[in-house]
Amino acid sequence: MIFAHFSDCHLGYRQYNVDERENDFYEAFNEVVERILEEHVDFVIHSGDMFEYSRPPTKALLVVKEAMRKFQERGIPVYAVPGNHDISMRRGAMPPHVLFKDYGMHLISLKNCYYEHDDDVLIAGCPYIPRFYSRTLAEHLQILARIAEKYKKRILILHQAIDRYLPFDYQIKVSDLPKNFDYYALGHVHLRITDRFGRGTLGYAGSIEVWRVDEWYDFRRRGKGFYIVDISGDEVEVHRINIESVRPHLIEEVNVENMDGQLEALLRKLRSFEGKKPVLHLLVKGKHYNISLIHNKILRKLSNHALTVRINYSIEEERTSEVLRSDNINVRDLLEKAIKSKELAELAYELFCLLSRDEIEGARKVIDDFYRRASL
Ligand SMILES: [Mn+2]
């Protein structure tokens, strides 16, 4: 028995406010769907963020409807959980997925939290739950773990970041994840990750397009697309299938000194791309330069050869303050240099002394006195 797992499609996202970028996400989605249809799967799993917004553009809804029609024609059911982007936080609000119920989309909600694909296969899950409610999520997972015991093959679908893979912005700890599932179909983390977990395998299928530019590096290593998961044998097998329509990004740095040569080289690079024009991300570095002059120069030279040019400027300041360089900082001098008014600098120094000794009351009194004096 094999199935396809994909995730984080973010349909309707209009990155950089460019028509082509909205279309890129539809194109990637359609390519994923066509490739899945070639694989003769038994069912399809989507682990959340089908849409960028809980009220997506009509085009995004049509694209999903067309895909669902194709799956339904072949008798392929789709199991899906809503991701954080699909859900409006208003009470009683429904994710757009409900529109596709009649096209064979089985939506997983807190109330309707599992399906029997057949007598042996359980597909359970949970819609995205914010970190604030991680207790609720952990309890819900315990219930699902108990339900799972009756089935030979068990699949868990979640749209959550796990601390092990996203240590600074997770909603669930790996220790809260039940260990008795065969495949963990995960979404939310946009990178492609597969790992052994419990008695099975865990997989983040990743996003299908470069939703944020930092995903470019993972794309270069592992591609974007979907997984084909085979649960027939004792060992779960996960195959990464890559799509080709993903638009390239070019991430570069130039220095304002001898910029002409560097722009020339960039132009050659941009021209070497076949197919879709890349998005160019440029960091401009240098000492005191005129941003608008540089900006126009870059656009004149390169903008016809990129879909869009995103420029960040960094200007190196020459360090003038000697106070900052010395090891023992003289706070009084520093404040006098930073605050031009001698009177205010004095006030700031007084407050600094009091507050660094935790004397909040004293500081309040100083402030009150100062402004009483000022208003007189
Ligand atoms: Mn996402």
Side-chain angles (χ1 to χ4, degrees):
M1 174 164 287
I2 66 165
F3 63 88
H5 168 209
F6 72 130
S7 194
D8 293 271
C9 301
H10 291 269
L11 300 173
Y13 183 38
R14 196 183 150 83
Q15 196 178 38
Y16 314 131
N17 211 12
V18 179
D19 283 341
E20 286 89 341
R21 280 306 281 156
E22 186 177 330
N23 284 328
D24 285 342
F25 283 75
Y26 300 141
E27 228 174 277
F29 180 86
N30 288 334
E31 192 183 346
V32 166
V33 170
E34 290 307 320
R35 294 292 308 277
I36 288 175
L37 290 170
E38 289 167 14
E39 299 283 341
H40 305 286
V41 296
D42 295 287
F43 54 91
V44 171
I45 283 178
H46 192 277
S47 50
D49 283 359
M50 183 79 85
F51 302 98
E52 172 73 8
Y53 313 105
S54 60
R55 296 161 84 176
T58 309
K59 175 78 191 277
L61 296 169
L62 281 174
V63 165
V64 175
K65 188 182 106 173
E66 187 54 21
M68 289 307 302
R69 200 185 54 72
K70 287 179 183 168
F71 286 134
Q72 195 179 37
E73 237 170 48
R74 320 252 182 131
I76 302 170
V78 176
Y79 301 94
V81 301
N84 51 316
H85 280 259
D86 302 310
I87 307 171
S88 154
M89 282 304 153
R90 266 180 297 129
R91 188 178 272 273
M94 288 178 282
H97 301 62
V98 297
L99 290 170
F100 311 108
K101 223 171 152 187
D102 294 341
Y103 289 88
M105 185 178 283
H106 301 288
L107 182 63
I108 287 176
S109 63
L110 273 178
K111 271 189 195 150
N112 244 328
C113 55
Y114 67 95
Y115 293 90
E116 273 178 9
H117 178 71
D118 62 26
D119 291 347
D120 292 337
V121 181
L122 173 78
I123 298 169
C126 187
Y128 170 81
I129 290 186
R131 187 174 179 168
F132 184 72
Y133 299 106
S134 58
R135 261 306 359 116
T136 314
L137 176 58
E139 282 161 24
H140 187 74
L141 290 175
Q142 279 173 19
I143 296 169
L144 295 181
R146 241 169 288 136
I147 294 168
E149 286 165 10
K150 293 192 301 217
Y151 296 85
K152 278 202 191 115
K153 299 288 177 184
R154 311 147 179 186
I155 298 157
L156 181 65
I157 318 176
L158 295 176
H159 187 87
Q160 310 283 163
I162 301 172
D163 59 348
R164 182 180 287 173
Y165 308 105
L166 209 61
F168 304 109
D169 189 16
Y170 62 90
Q171 303 89 37
I172 183 173
K173 289 194 170 146
V174 76
S175 51
D176 285 330
L177 212 56
K179 293 195 169 61
N180 62 342
F181 282 83
D182 299 288
Y183 183 69
Y184 300 78
L186 303 175
H188 194 54
V189 175
H190 284 188
L191 314 178
R192 288 177 118 181
I193 299 167
T194 52
D195 206 351
R196 302 279 312 157
F197 185 79
R199 67 176 224 170
T201 300
L202 162 164
Y204 280 100
S207 55
I208 58 165
E209 240 287 350
V210 178
W211 183 73
R212 229 171 48 189
V213 62
D214 57 11
E215 292 169 27
W216 177 248
Y217 304 101
D218 186 66
F219 167 73
R220 292 285 296 272
R221 288 183 64 191
R222 300 185 186 87
K224 288 204 177 284
F226 62 98
Y227 290 153
I228 288 292
V229 185
D230 188 343
I231 51 168
S232 323
D234 289 338
E235 288 280 308
V236 176
E237 283 174 41
V238 181
H239 304 277
R240 209 161 64 200
I241 312 285
N242 289 343
I243 55 170
E244 277 156 18
S245 68
V246 177
R247 185 178 296 272
H249 291 245
L250 185 59
I251 303 164
E252 296 281 343
E253 235 178 76
V254 289
N255 202 295
V256 282
E257 282 163 47
N258 58 58
M259 204 171 73
D260 291 347
Q262 297 168 68
L263 291 185
E264 224 23 84
L266 264 177
L267 185 62
R268 278 196 300 276
K269 247 189 206 174
L270 285 170
R271 280 180 170 149
S272 72
F273 282 88
E274 284 163 22
K276 287 183 174 177
K277 278 185 189 174
V279 176
L280 174 62
H281 305 262
L282 207 51
L283 176 63
V284 178
K285 284 182 161 176
K287 283 178 191 157
H288 35 246
Y289 56 89
N290 181 324
I291 290 187
S292 76
L293 258 157
I294 297 286
H295 190 86
N296 291 332
K297 188 174 190 172
I298 293 172
L299 290 188
R300 258 201 315 277
K301 185 86 182 172
L302 303 176
S303 63
N304 283 337
H305 302 275
L307 175 70
T308 175
V309 184
R310 323 272 312 158
I311 314 176
N312 276 308
Y313 295 95
S314 131
I315 299 183
E316 288 159 39
E317 298 279 351
E318 278 163 64
R319 300 172 96 197
T320 47
S321 166
E322 297 202 347
V323 189
L324 274 177
R325 244 180 255 167
S326 86
D327 284 335
N328 45 46
I329 294 167
N330 185 327
V331 177
R332 194 172 213 146
D333 283 357
L334 193 66
L335 288 169
E336 260 170 37
K337 279 203 171 107
I339 304 172
K340 294 289 171 279
S341 146
K342 203 162 165 54
E343 209 190 354
L344 283 176
E346 229 5 81
L347 171 71
Y349 183 64
E350 221 176 327
L351 287 173
F352 170 80
C353 294
L354 287 163
L355 290 174
S356 57
R357 296 196 301 266
D358 244 1
E359 292 181 25
I360 310 280
E361 264 319 304
R364 184 173 292 152
K365 199 171 167 312
V366 166
I367 284 274
D368 283 342
D369 287 353
F370 182 84
Y371 281 105
R372 198 168 305 124
R373 256 185 289 137
S375 64
L376 281 174

